[in-house]
Amino acid sequence: MTGAGSAAVRRARAGKPRPPAIPPDTAVALLRTIWRIRCFEERIAQLHKSLQIQGLVHLSIGGEGVAATVCGQLRDDDAVYSGHRAHGHALAKGAPMAQTLAELMGRSGGLCRGLGGSMHLVDATRGLMGATGVVGGNLPLAAGDALAKRLAGSDAVTVVFFGDGAVQAGHFHETVNLAALWELPLIFVCENNGMAEFTSRAEHTTVASVADVVSPYGFARATVDGSDVAAVHDKFAAYLEQARMGEGPFLLECLTHRRRGHYEGDQQQYRDEQAEAQWSAKDPLARWQERGRAEGWLSAAQAQQLERDATAEVEQALAYARQSPPPTAAQAAALVYAAAPDGAPPR
Amino acid sequence: MDNDRLIWMYTQMVRIREFEERVKRTFDEHPGVIRGHTHLADGAEASIVGSLATMQPGDQLMATYRCHGYPITLGTDTKAIMAEIYGRTDGLCGGYGGSMHLADPGRGFLGTSGIVGQGIPQATGVGYAAQIRNRTQPPTVVLCFFGDGASKQGAFHESLNLASLWKLPVVYIMENNNYNVATRSEQEDANAAAGEPLSVKAKAHSMPGVTVDGGDPLAVHATVSEAADRARRGDGPTLVESKVYRLSAHGNLIAPPGVPLHYEEHEAIRVFGNRDEYEAALRGDPVPRFRMQLIEQGVLDVARADEIAQAAREEMDAAVQFALDSPFPAPEAATNFVYA
Amino acid sequence: MAREIPYIVAVNEALQFEMERDETVVFYGQDVAPSDEDPLVKAFGRDRVRVSPISETAEIGMATGLALAGFRPVVELLMAEFMLVAMNQVVNEAPRLRYMSGGQVKVPVVFKAGYGFTAGWAGQHTGSIYNMFCGIPGLKVALPSTPADAKGLLATAIRDDNPVCYFIHYLLVLEHGDVPEGEYLVPFGEASVRRTGSDVTIVATGWTVGKALQAAELLAQEGIEAEVIDPRTLQPLDLPAILSSVEKTGHLVLADQATRHASAASFIAAEVAEHGFGYLKAPVKLVTALDATIPYSQPMEAYVLPDEHKIADAARQVVGAAPVAA
């Protein structure tokens, strides 16, 4: 973590009014989602190590709070565009865990019939519209989706998740200009873990916080502690309400932590051990549970039950995935082009 | 600035104007001689000359397809520039590049890109090279010219971020003429739509951004000098927004072979029917404006100013004649220079 | 009812017709209708006709997002080269999203651009780069050579549920031809036989179709009857039409404005070599641009490009006739 990031955390905390209390049911639901993501991803790490899941896998352990709070407030007709670190967003947006895991294992019963894998999760019926593997490649897609919502006259909104590394890519700026110019109902959610792949933010830019990068455009933006579930929840809720009324765009920068390497198998020779220790204390799961007990909406028994439920769900999902066969070559070939609609000539 | 320098600046502005008028007139006087697309710098002379007057030995620049004015100011032979625009073998680039792709590396003009914004990362790389050289040599800077439209290109932002991060000795000079071909800035730029100067984009990259009247060569010179000094000191890049008004249309008519090419009216009139805007710009024409200023200040008298104009006219007449007389390259030469 | 109109008018007619027919068709791009007086703006309003900044990556990526969310955008990219600025969106996003989602989403987008403007536009605005998109599974590539095809292929491109690169040829924009009024669709993957002949097959694309027809006239004076085939779309490619012609003539010349190894001619030749080798009585000949960036100066520009004489010479060679001095 860079000094700049820590300063941004302090700024975000300073003078922050006490957020309105999250209703207990919602608080527990958020915790349930966080547990589901945590247990899912820990299992993924094991499955990857034992070669039952192949290819490039990026985990969000330590950052589940953002996925749970943002996606947890969205409807199925709201669109989410994610990136290569998408498992949490998918589960929180409602993608069934069994099909998500089957997708990671390359099975025909996966969300995308095994053709996409970890970096390309899509569940169109639940508004998880796409996860793209190229840094920031999803940004203009999301702006187009937001324009579509505007043109359709809907109050649905579009959310795009990206990391701080994407902000240095030109298409971030192209998209921000257009979203601001056309006042799109788009919420940019930056999960700033202070690391762009293997190098820290300070090696990529002189601009301290991602929110500052959009400062020339004058739309609402905020930086919050991404490990503070309530802080993310409240700020996002405020932006969401305004976006539904036709305002936009917004940028919410969540300072998070990546507990694991950039990808599974990453040797992480670039890690700062001291920062690691500091951030472990900021685990959003531990903090949210602690807060639940302090505020009285969570008992120890309930907390254990949530963990047991999540673990059991992961094992059921794994059983489903294991019995699902891989896709056939014919299935793969058939999906290269969309078929011609009835009566139309394309072929 | 001493009087000789002021007169030099005025002379270069007049030379650019006379050159560009010759290019424009070629479409009428010698139809078919210029092919493809040309883009004129009339209206931007003060900005170009004010910027280039800051250059010191070893400084370099890159520009866009609207590129005739830079080599003229740097001292490139106008005969060679015109011959290039006419596609002749004596052209500055042997007839390979044409109007959009002038280069004179010996004078520090490393070239242009015909694609909006794509020269910016290249100039940034030139700045990186300069930074390395500057550690052992008298410090040099790189001037990077582009238009307002390019600031909506990702390449612009990627370059500014890196230049700021690495403190590269680059001055980014945005010649803002308020039009992307026929599209007005406020139709395509969130800052322009909000009534803000485009120099605010520098904020996104933690670098200074300043806006200057590009019709005033001395103001441009002062602003670019300060930015160049900062770059030379190793303190990093600056974004300079130089507000100009292009007095001709974006470029000549775009048409397939066989259709006579010419310059149509400026887009303010042709597309938006706004003759008042264009006429106001003509009243503010930087070339007569600077002439008047120098005469009022006693730097120039009318006779000397007329002499300068007459010399420029004669020079450009000779450039046109030279270019017309220059032979075409041998067709087989087309496959030269594909690889080093 | 057909009537004679220029190629560029036919293009606009298809766009207008499809926008009237389907209100999910959206059209935007650089310098598209900056004036509110533009007829498209008046007809369809500013929501559906927009002028956009010079931000190709955002423009193309947004089109993909619009498509994912149920619209059918047509992005005006003016010059095919401008797509190179946004290669990730063109190659790595739009055509792959449907596949990687296991067929859940579709991306009905048209990337509309001009190409091949070899009229003194020098090195960066004259390329014939369509072939680099033909090898991208998920992308379709249409190259109309006549006004009627310009209309029919654009209409089909807009209705197609896949991303389509629709490339108009800038040297053809003022060419006139018969174009049907009203709704008109040209199916993808269906080649057009522009001229029938029994001695040699000439496969030509875009602007070289006209050059091939001129070459065929020259050859006819010498008693050589050329069959000229225009694939019209390169992806999908109507290989059966090409093979059946080669089966008839036994000789094949491929004309293409692109440079040799980046040409459609080269991959079509490979397909014929694999699937029609037995029909060939002589090696095939490719007539392409020479391997050089297009130079500005006219004599050099003409030198690097294919023309009717080079095509005719190639045809004479493959049929074993004596070459004719130019």
Side-chain angles (χ1 to χ4, degrees), chain B residues 265-283:
Chain B
E265 283 190 300
H266 189 280
E267 290 77 5
I269 301 167
R270 184 174 62 80
V271 179
F272 297 100
N274 190 347
R275 195 169 287 279
D276 290 348
E277 174 190 300
Y278 183 73
E279 284 173 358
L282 275 185
R283 286 192 296 276

Side-chain angles (χ1 to χ4, degrees), chain A residues 137-152:
Chain A
N138 56 355
L139 289 158
L141 306 185
D145 190 297
L147 176 59
K149 293 190 170 18
R150 168 65 42 81
L151 294 179

Side-chain angles (χ1 to χ4, degrees), chain B residues 76-242:
Chain B
T76 306
D77 189 346
T78 46
K79 292 187 172 81
I81 304 174
M82 195 65 85
E84 184 60 33
I85 295 167
Y86 288 10
R88 306 306 167 108
T89 193
D90 297 313
L92 184 59
C93 305
Y96 288 83
S99 166
M100 290 193 272
H101 303 291
L102 301 179
D104 191 352
R107 290 181 169 81
F109 179 31
L110 297 191
T112 72
S113 175
I115 309 295
V116 170
Q118 300 306 302
I120 302 174
Q122 297 168 18
T124 305
V126 177
Y128 182 17
Q131 182 181 56
I132 294 169
R133 277 200 316 270
N134 288 355
R135 309 222 191 277
T136 53
Q137 292 174 16
T140 59
V141 302
V142 176
L143 305 184
C144 170
F145 292 91
F146 52 93
D148 45 300
S151 65
K152 267 63 63 183
Q153 268 294 312
F156 163 79
H157 293 277
E158 294 181 4
S159 301
L160 263 63
N161 176 62
L162 262 171
S164 176
L165 180 67
W166 293 353
K167 292 191 185 306
L168 299 180
V170 182
V171 183
Y172 293 96
I173 303 169
M174 177 201 293
E175 290 171 348
N176 178 0
N177 64 28
N178 205 43
Y179 283 87
N180 298 186
V181 190
T183 302
R184 294 178 55 82
S185 282
E186 62 269 23
Q187 293 179 295
E188 52 85 42
D189 185 294
N191 296 125
E196 296 160 349
L198 302 198
S199 57
V200 299
K201 294 179 195 297
K203 267 167 57 180
H205 307 290
S206 297
M207 71 163 76
V210 283
T211 297
V212 62
D213 172 9
D216 178 348
L218 301 181
V220 173
H221 182 268
T223 304
V224 174
S225 284
E226 193 183 334
D229 288 348
R230 179 179 136 84
R232 233 179 276 281
R233 285 195 307 270
D235 291 342
T238 303
L239 174 63
V240 176
E241 177 195 16
S242 175

Side-chain angles (χ1 to χ4, degrees), chain C residues 28-41:
Chain C
Y28 66 85
Q30 295 162 27
D31 238 34
V32 162
S35 165
D36 289 339
E37 301 304 308
D38 187 281
L40 280 178
V41 177

Side-chain angles (χ1 to χ4, degrees), chain A residues 147 150 178-184, chain B residues 187, chain C residues 28 50-52 62:
Chain A
L147 176 59
R150 168 65 42 81
L178 266 162
L181 182 70
W182 293 352
E183 297 173 341
L184 300 179
Chain B
Q187 293 179 295
Chain C
Y28 66 85
R50 293 192 179 209
V51 57
S52 60
M62 283 185 74

Side-chain angles (χ1 to χ4, degrees), chain C residues 300-324:
Chain C
M300 294 197 289
E301 184 190 80
Y303 179 76
V304 302
L305 293 175
D307 62 24
E308 61 272 29
H309 301 291
K310 293 176 186 176
I311 296 168
D313 268 349
R316 290 177 194 114
Q317 284 180 48
V318 298
V319 301
V324 171

Side-chain angles (χ1 to χ4, degrees), chain A residues 296-322:
Chain A
W297 50 262
L298 182 74
S299 68
Q302 249 180 314
Q304 283 167 7
Q305 190 58 44
L306 288 172
E307 182 177 5
R308 275 198 299 274
D309 289 350
T311 308
E313 188 186 359
V314 172
E315 293 313 313
Q316 281 167 15
L318 186 55
Y320 166 84
R322 283 189 169 139

Side-chain angles (χ1 to χ4, degrees), chain A residues 12 38 41 48 67 75 104 111 136 138 145 165 171 211 231 264 334:
Chain A
R38 176 67 56 89
E41 291 212 310
H48 189 265
R75 310 188 307 232
L104 267 64
L111 279 181
N138 56 355
D145 190 297
H171 36 277
E264 286 309 286

